[in-house]
């Protein structure tokens, strides 16, 4: 005869609840990854459309036609850097956005999203720090000043005095949640900012939690 001990029922319910929780976590994580993938596809299409209009504007022929001819002649396609050597009018880049994500993988843990960067209109970078209470980054943080401010923004500011910097804090705690950098001039500035933010977060992440 099956035991009717309430403790056995509680253990069984606990096991089932734990299983349900794990499956729900996996489900929502996969769903979130799918949404992010859809968003990235849309962003890639926007960049392709921008490059197409930029190249077409330099010629009476369409970008697709130029590309097809270049393939026939076995000529290398221009690199991203070559596309942005010359200045582009503000009207042409208005509404563009290049998104980047910074991940980190600690020991015995899954890949973790640390920060999201958006480069709007080739002019303004907005950086969101994920879970600021874990990153513990403040304006006065030694690594933040050394790696990000001195390592990136000071040089950019010297070349571009119009650059401006703004912080938004996490629940009035003094911990930085958003960083906005305005009046940038080139995608190279964005590359430097991304690189230094990645270096900073690699130091700030707490693997022991």
């Amino acid at each position: 005869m099956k035991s009717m001990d309430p403790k056995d029922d509680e253990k069984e319910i606990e096991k089932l609840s734990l299983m349900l929780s794990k499956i729900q976590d996996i489900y929502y994580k996969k769903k979130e990854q799918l949404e992010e993938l859809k968003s990235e596809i849309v962003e890639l299409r926007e960049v392709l459309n921008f490059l197409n209009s930029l190249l077409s504007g330099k010629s009476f022929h369409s970008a697709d036609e130029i590309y097809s001819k270049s393939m026939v002649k076995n000529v290398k396609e221009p690199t991203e850097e070559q596309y942005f050597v010359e200045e582009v009018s503000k009207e042409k880049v208005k509404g563009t956005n290049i998104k980047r994500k910074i991940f980190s993988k600690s020991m015995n843990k899954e890949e973790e999203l640390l920060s999201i960067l958006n480069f709007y209109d080739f002019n303004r970078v907005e950086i969101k720090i994920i879970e600021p209470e874990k990153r513990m980054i403040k304006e006065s943080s030694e690594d933040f000043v050394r790696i990000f401010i001195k390592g990136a923004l000071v040089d950019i500011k010297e070349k571009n005095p119009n650059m401006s910097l703004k912080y938004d804090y996490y629940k009035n705690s003094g911990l930085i949640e958003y960083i906005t950098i305005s009046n940038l001039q080139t995608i190279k500035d964005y590359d430097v900012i991304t690189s230094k933010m990645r270096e900073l977060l690699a130091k700030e992440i707490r693997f022991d939690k």
Side-chain angles (χ1 to χ4, degrees), residues 146-157:
R146 178 176 58 84
I147 296 173
F148 191 72
I149 300 298
K150 294 182 178 180
L153 300 190
V154 169
D155 289 340
I156 295 174
K157 182 72 172 178

Side-chain angles (χ1 to χ4, degrees), residues 78-90:
T79 63
E80 181 185 75
E81 184 177 352
Q82 290 171 326
Y83 274 123
F84 300 106
V85 168
E86 60 182 321
E87 292 185 0
V88 181
S89 66
K90 291 183 178 180

Side-chain angles (χ1 to χ4, degrees), residues 13-188:
I13 291 173
E14 185 177 348
K15 289 180 181 179
L16 291 172
S17 297
L18 182 59
M19 184 183 300
L20 175 62
S21 177
K22 288 182 178 179
I23 293 175
Q24 284 179 330
D25 288 343
I26 294 172
Y27 168 77
Y28 286 115
K29 183 174 182 178
K30 294 298 181 183
K31 187 176 181 181
E32 181 179 352
Q33 289 174 344
L34 180 60
E35 292 301 322
E36 289 178 355
L37 182 59
K38 290 179 180 178
S39 176
E40 289 172 1
I41 290 172
V42 171
E43 289 162 11
L44 284 172
R45 185 169 65 244
E46 290 176 352
V47 173
L48 287 172
N49 289 339
F50 164 70
L51 292 176
N52 186 73
S53 63
L54 176 62
L55 186 56
S56 296
K58 300 295 182 181
S59 171
F60 292 107
H61 303 284
S62 70
D64 290 337
E65 183 181 351
I66 294 172
Y67 177 72
S68 298
K69 289 182 179 179
S70 69
M71 291 297 289
V72 171
K73 294 178 181 178
N74 198 26
V75 178
K76 291 184 178 179
E77 183 183 4
T79 63
E80 181 185 75
E81 184 177 352
Q82 290 171 326
Y83 274 123
F84 300 106
V85 168
E86 60 182 321
E87 292 185 0
V88 181
S89 66
K90 291 183 178 180
E91 290 75 16
K92 288 187 176 181
V93 298
K94 188 175 181 180
T96 61
N97 175 33
I98 300 176
K99 177 183 285 187
R100 292 172 179 171
K101 297 178 181 180
I102 298 176
F103 292 88
S104 181
K105 185 178 291 185
S106 60
M107 294 179 62
N108 302 320
K109 290 187 178 181
E110 294 183 357
E111 196 173 62
E112 182 179 4
L113 178 61
L114 304 180
S115 179
I116 300 174
L117 298 85
N118 287 285
F119 189 27
Y120 296 107
D121 301 333
F122 284 75
N123 175 269
R124 184 180 81 259
V125 173
E126 292 184 3
I127 304 170
K128 175 177 173 57
I129 297 173
I130 308 299
E131 296 183 300
E133 70 277 16
K134 288 185 178 181
R135 308 289 89 85
M136 297 294 291
I137 297 174
K138 297 183 178 181
E139 287 184 64
S140 58
S141 299
E142 182 179 347
D143 285 339
F144 180 71
V145 173
R146 178 176 58 84
I147 296 173
F148 191 72
I149 300 298
K150 294 182 178 180
L153 300 190
V154 169
D155 289 340
I156 295 174
K157 182 72 172 178
E158 287 179 354
K159 294 182 292 184
N160 179 19
N162 292 324
M163 188 206 80
S164 63
L165 177 65
K166 177 178 176 290
Y167 302 111
D168 289 307
Y169 303 98
Y170 177 69
K171 296 181 178 179
N172 299 318
S173 63
L175 300 175
I176 298 174
E177 184 173 14
Y178 291 93
I179 303 172
T180 303
I181 306 165
S182 302
N183 299 320
L184 297 177
Q185 295 181 332
T186 69
I187 196 170
K188 289 183 179 179

